[in-house]
Amino acid sequence: MKTTNYSKIAERYDKNPYRVNEIYFDAELNEVINKNSRSEYHVLDLSCGTGLYLEKQKGYFDKMAIKWYGLDLSEQMLQKARDRLKNVDLILADVENMPYQSDTFDFISNNYAFHHYRNKGQALDEIYRVLQKGGIYKLHNIAIHEMPNW
Ligand SMILES: C[S@@+](CC[C@H](N)C(=O)[O-])C[C@H]1O[C@@H](n2cnc3c(N)ncnc32)[C@H](O)[C@@H]1O
């Protein structure tokens, strides 16, 4: 298992241009919105880090009725997210014990973090619990063959 102390590297995390530049319009989130007609969508960025994904997607989906959430285990990473984001519900918590009610989210994104989770089975159980039935969990991780600039 990969162990990294994100609280120690939070200050320099966003200085990696690759991290910032590789976040695109989330086509799967768009699909969820197009397929389901709701008055409001609930979208969680799990292990949101410094808020890079949330900042970009909030810009792309700014006309949509989406309530945005971010959760992370590192207070220092979250502080960066707080500095850059408005109107996002950001909380300090462990994926293995999330303080959300069951059946809350239409969509959960999870970028570059799953390999850090200590008990991956417990993490998946929690993700399944907080996801609405029919909701989408999108796990994205390092895939070096698809990352020519890595
Ligand atoms: C490589 S960073 C990815 C951050 C962000 N998703 C991104 O794409 O920039 C991994 C993140 O996972 C978080 N993390 C690690 N273990 C966690 C856990 N058990 N629960 C919640 N977040 C965790 C770290 O604090 C860190 O912010």
Side-chain angles (χ1 to χ4, degrees), residues 16-127:
N16 176 346
Y18 189 81
R19 286 262 181 242
V20 181
N21 297 334
E22 61 113 34
I23 304 169
Y24 307 108
F25 175 76
D26 195 327
E28 281 81 20
L29 173 54
N30 194 41
E31 201 178 314
V32 166
I33 289 170
N34 288 335
K35 276 192 181 157
N36 302 282
S37 174
R38 298 203 200 291
S39 54
E40 189 178 50
Y41 300 86
H42 294 264
V43 175
L44 168 66
D45 187 28
L46 183 57
S47 299
C48 62
T50 60
L52 296 171
Y53 170 90
L54 286 164
E55 181 181 45
K56 284 259 176 104
Q57 302 310 325
K58 275 190 92 220
Y60 291 132
F61 291 90
D62 66 333
K63 301 278 186 294
M64 306 303 301
I66 298 178
K67 184 155 172 42
W68 300 95
Y69 301 80
L71 175 149
D72 202 278
L73 191 58
S74 160
E75 174 56 33
Q76 283 75 7
M77 294 291 271
L78 270 181
Q79 190 50 53
K80 294 275 168 198
R82 286 190 199 102
D83 291 346
R84 79 160 22 102
L85 296 166
K86 285 197 176 65
N87 301 320
V88 178
D89 189 332
L90 294 167
I91 56 163
L92 180 70
D94 193 319
V95 63
E96 292 175 28
N97 183 20
M98 291 192 268
Y100 300 122
Q101 292 191 347
S102 301
D103 304 316
T104 297
F105 299 106
D106 299 282
F107 187 86
I108 299 177
S109 62
N110 188 201
N111 302 312
Y112 305 118
F114 193 81
H115 55 294
H116 292 295
Y117 301 159
R118 284 158 301 202
N119 186 338
K120 293 175 175 54
Q122 173 65 21
L124 286 172
D125 283 348
E126 269 294 88
I127 290 164

